[in-house]
Amino acid sequence: MSDLNTSFTFRLSHEDKTALAELAEQLGCDRGAVLRRMIRQSKIDLGNNGSGQFAANGRTFHLKLRPVERVE
């Protein structure tokens, strides 16, 4: 099974949860949609160690991504 077809969980601090809930309320969507939207809007260069970041409400969230090999 491809890693793209599986779910994952990560822990957020209380402050991060509050910031995420506030963003969701401002954007009129749920918290998961906020995260997906922010990831899509961030500029991530997978050729540069697969790291990136996005900023929201004065906070910066660092991301580490890795390319997925195609299975043919």
Side-chain angles (χ1 to χ4, degrees), residues 35-46:
L35 291 173
R36 289 186 295 276
R37 182 176 178 174
M38 294 297 168
I39 290 169
R40 283 192 296 271
Q41 289 177 349
S42 68
K43 293 187 177 186
I44 299 170
D45 180 7
L46 290 177

